Amino acid sequence: MSKLLSNLRVPIRGLALGSLAAILLGCVAQVRVPGPPPPPPPPPPPAVVYAAPPAPAPAVDVEVQATEPPPPLPDYEQPPCPTVGFLWTPGYWAFAPAGYFWVPGTWIAPPAVGLLWTPGYWGFVGGRYMFNVGYWGPHVGFYGGVNYGFGYVGVGFVGARWVGGSLAYNTAVTHVNVTVVHNTYNETVINKTTNVSKVSYNGPGGTTAAPTAAERAAASERHIPPTPVQQQHVQQAAKDPSLQAKANGGKPPIAATTRPAELHGPGVVPARGAAPRPAQAEEKRTPPAAAPKPNAAAKPPAPAAKPLAPNTAKPPAKPAPKPAAKPAAKPAPKPKPPPRGEGEEK
């Protein structure tokens, strides 16, 4: 029995070793060699950086400075609104190297529905007078407390308002032709900042107003600078010598216009007391002479007059003097009637 078991152990042991070898061979056969590493993922696309559009071109009077204050505001009448939808922009004194010149007040089409105009103003800062450019916005901001008139009484604007996408005009302070403009109202304005001295700047000797809370809020809103036609209006005024303060003594002959950049014509309003404007350089052109018709026969020129021959004739003889006329004979006297009784029958 023991021999039998010993004989069985040998094959079992061999079988076990064979099985172990087979397992090891199988394990070795299943070992996989790792391949090359996968390529790295492509880099992420660069982040898109939003570039803000370029800022609009600055207005004509940005950062204009002067060492002396502007003249007082001239006194003038407002021309009537030429069409529905225009908004009044008051006149002001601008500055150039030659000195102050007047930019006439005019009616302007707003750049968008719902926008109002905040006028520019002069302010005394750091020993100099600096001009703050006007702008368009949903609300009227601070304009130095200057009373420009016609609804710009120093704070806000009471000359018109937007109603349902269109402008309504306050006839109490705005000049409109009611036969043309029908969207009107009449609202009495209590003017608490009557500008008797017509001061045109904020600072010593001028107004002393400070921005209100509403005006500070309006300053932080989105603004639109003066439109191209407004800038053209300023440029036209700068070229006109009669608008120089040194030439007109503060009373410009073109104080206001019906439309912008139209400084000549029936819509021009002078300041009160302004001198008449000089004659225009451009005269009315005379119509050219009519050219002769091609088929018309040209008339021969008239013959030249012959020179007068010298007078060689003798002077006529003097007429003989007429004899003096004799006085006419007096008529014979009529016979007197016979005395009464003679020759009469009794």
Side-chain angles (χ1 to χ4, degrees):
M1 187 66 177
S2 59
K3 288 183 179 181
L4 180 59
L5 291 173
S6 60
N7 293 334
L8 289 174
R9 288 175 184 168
V10 175
I12 292 174
R13 184 180 298 172
L15 181 60
L17 292 175
S19 300
L20 180 59
I23 293 172
L24 291 177
L25 290 175
C27 291
V28 174
Q30 293 180 357
V31 174
R32 298 178 180 178
V33 177
V48 178
V49 179
Y50 173 73
V60 176
D61 296 326
V62 169
E63 297 181 358
V64 174
Q65 301 181 11
T67 57
E68 58 184 5
L73 296 173
D75 188 14
Y76 61 95
E77 294 182 0
Q78 183 188 46
C81 181
T83 183
V84 178
F86 274 35
L87 195 67
W88 177 251
T89 58
Y92 64 94
W93 291 105
F95 191 79
Y100 284 101
F101 65 94
W102 179 253
V103 178
T106 189
W107 292 93
I108 293 285
V113 174
L115 297 184
L116 298 172
W117 174 249
T118 297
Y121 72 96
W122 288 94
F124 186 78
V125 180
R128 290 181 176 271
Y129 297 89
M130 302 186 63
F131 186 76
N132 300 270
V133 182
Y135 57 85
W136 295 94
H139 299 92
V140 177
F142 182 67
Y143 50 93
V146 177
N147 185 353
Y148 288 106
F150 311 114
Y152 296 96
V153 295
V155 178
F157 177 58
V158 293
R161 61 192 178 200
W162 288 98
V163 179
S166 61
L167 279 170
Y169 301 89
N170 185 5
T171 56
V173 293
T174 304
H175 187 189
V176 295
N177 186 351
V178 293
T179 60
V180 178
V181 179
H182 305 289
N183 197 11
T184 61
Y185 62 97
N186 192 306
E187 186 174 278
T188 304
V189 177
I190 300 176
N191 192 355
K192 298 181 181 180
T193 59
T194 303
N195 193 353
V196 178
S197 60
K198 297 291 183 179
V199 293
S200 58
Y201 65 94
N202 181 287
T207 67
T208 58
T212 63
E215 290 172 332
R216 288 193 295 268
S220 62
E221 296 175 335
R222 180 177 176 269
H223 298 157
I224 296 178
T227 61
V229 70
Q230 286 180 284
Q231 298 189 30
Q232 182 185 2
H233 184 69
V234 177
Q235 294 167 1
Q236 292 289 339
K239 296 177 182 178
D240 196 319
S242 68
L243 295 179
Q244 296 289 332
K246 296 178 181 178
N248 56 47
K251 297 178 180 180
I254 311 173
T257 64
T258 303
R259 295 179 182 272
E262 295 183 5
L263 305 185
H264 309 283
V268 173
V269 176
R272 289 186 175 90
R277 299 186 60 197
Q280 300 296 328
E282 295 181 0
E283 299 292 342
K284 294 182 179 180
R285 297 181 179 179
T286 56
K293 297 181 180 180
N295 297 331
K299 295 182 179 180
K306 295 182 179 180
L308 297 176
N311 188 7
T312 57
K314 294 181 180 181
K318 295 182 180 180
K322 296 181 180 181
K326 294 180 179 181
K330 295 182 180 181
K334 296 181 179 181
K336 295 182 180 179
R340 187 178 182 84
E342 296 182 0
E344 296 181 359
E345 295 181 0
K346 292 183 181 179

